[in-house]
Amino acid sequence: MEQYKKDFIDFMVESQVLTFGDFTTKSGRKTPFFVNTGNYDTGKKISKLGEFYAETIKDRYGLDFDLVYGPAYKGIPLAVTISSAIYSMFDKNIGFTFNRKEAKNHGEGGSFVGYKLADKQKVIIVEDVITAGTAMRENLPILKDAADLSIEAIIVSVDRMEKGTGDLSAIQEIEKDYQIPVHPIVSIDEVVDYLYNREVNGKVIIDDETLARIKAYRAQYGI
């Protein structure tokens, strides 16, 4: 596993974004692990998060694109910090754009804020996680209506590798329906492999009992 992935897993645990215990998802599933990206709540954390996304984009796609797009609301700070990180790390100046939940009908108007969308631009969409794929299904048509864009990839923080409504995960459904690759910084399998019996800040995060619960959950809902 690449070092930046290991560092990102440690970062999630230390930021209390990735936790293990007893949780209930929006779908009602009882899950032994939870990803709460709302805990990226300081300048230091969001800056570091942008660097991990930037590293993943360079590793999985490259730097030949024009802008990052972040769907409102959680995608907004992501788009800003990622574009800044790409500039500071790789000296590549790209644009960032995000959408308004409701179109503005005064001033400059429109549904988008930031770098102006134009035909032939290469766009990378950034999101925290894809749970049901709702945000992507709402935003992809909006982007396509705005300009003749080329959506190159979607980057997310963690792939839970979990079934959606059928046998595919939400990520696999997006890839199948829209023919757009989705790249996570890490998958849940990588997280488990790395953290099993490993101490972070003096504490073992995934012991035998937690691993057994994760395996049982993955056997039921995993892909």
Side-chain angles (χ1 to χ4, degrees), residues 140-204:
L140 287 168
I142 293 172
L143 284 170
K144 285 295 188 179
D145 286 344
D148 183 18
L149 303 167
S150 175
I151 310 299
E152 299 291 300
I154 300 169
I155 310 295
V156 298
S157 59
V158 181
D159 181 0
R160 289 180 60 100
M161 303 177 70
E162 201 168 302
K163 292 177 184 177
T165 55
D167 290 331
L168 299 178
S169 71
I171 283 178
Q172 289 175 326
E173 289 172 352
I174 292 294
E175 291 182 319
K176 177 177 177 288
D177 292 346
Y178 295 96
Q179 300 299 300
I180 300 171
V182 180
H183 301 304
I185 302 176
V186 292
S187 70
I188 193 61
D189 279 353
E190 289 173 321
V191 168
V192 173
D193 288 346
Y194 176 68
L195 286 180
Y196 175 57
N197 276 341
R198 178 182 296 274
E199 290 188 1
V200 178
N201 293 335
K203 179 182 178 182
V204 173

Side-chain angles (χ1 to χ4, degrees), residues 14-40:
E14 291 166 357
S15 300
Q16 297 185 317
V17 167
L18 174 64
T19 52
F20 297 87
D22 295 300
F23 309 98
T24 303
T25 66
K26 284 185 179 180
S27 62
R29 294 176 181 176
K30 304 294 185 180
T31 175
F33 57 90
F34 190 68
V35 179
N36 179 14
T37 56
N39 283 342
Y40 295 125

Side-chain angles (χ1 to χ4, degrees), residues 29-167:
R29 294 176 181 176
K30 304 294 185 180
T31 175
F33 57 90
F34 190 68
V35 179
N36 179 14
T37 56
N39 283 342
Y40 295 125
D41 54 5
T42 67
K44 181 179 180 180
K45 289 178 184 177
I46 198 68
S47 177
K48 191 66 178 174
L49 181 62
E51 293 174 1
F52 285 118
Y53 269 87
E55 191 70 46
T56 302
I57 291 170
K58 184 175 183 293
D59 181 41
R60 301 301 302 277
Y61 175 79
L63 298 175
D64 180 22
F65 64 101
D66 300 296
L67 66 102
V68 290
Y69 172 79
Y73 289 102
K74 287 186 177 180
I76 295 174
L78 284 179
V80 176
T81 192
I82 292 165
S83 63
S84 177
I86 289 173
Y87 178 69
S88 62
M89 295 169 70
F90 309 120
D91 196 29
K92 171 76 173 182
N93 191 25
I94 62 166
F96 66 84
T97 303
F98 55 89
N99 67 309
R100 294 185 173 97
K101 284 289 188 178
E102 296 181 2
K104 187 177 179 181
N105 57 14
H106 61 279
E108 77 279 13
S111 299
F112 300 98
V113 180
Y115 200 75
K116 186 174 177 58
L117 301 177
D119 292 348
K120 310 305 180 185
Q121 286 175 338
K122 295 180 179 180
V123 180
I124 287 182
I125 299 176
V126 294
E127 183 66 291
D128 58 348
V129 293
I130 294 179
T131 303
T134 305
M136 287 300 104
R137 295 182 187 282
E138 290 175 350
N139 278 267
L140 287 168
I142 293 172
L143 284 170
K144 285 295 188 179
D145 286 344
D148 183 18
L149 303 167
S150 175
I151 310 299
E152 299 291 300
I154 300 169
I155 310 295
V156 298
S157 59
V158 181
D159 181 0
R160 289 180 60 100
M161 303 177 70
E162 201 168 302
K163 292 177 184 177
T165 55
D167 290 331

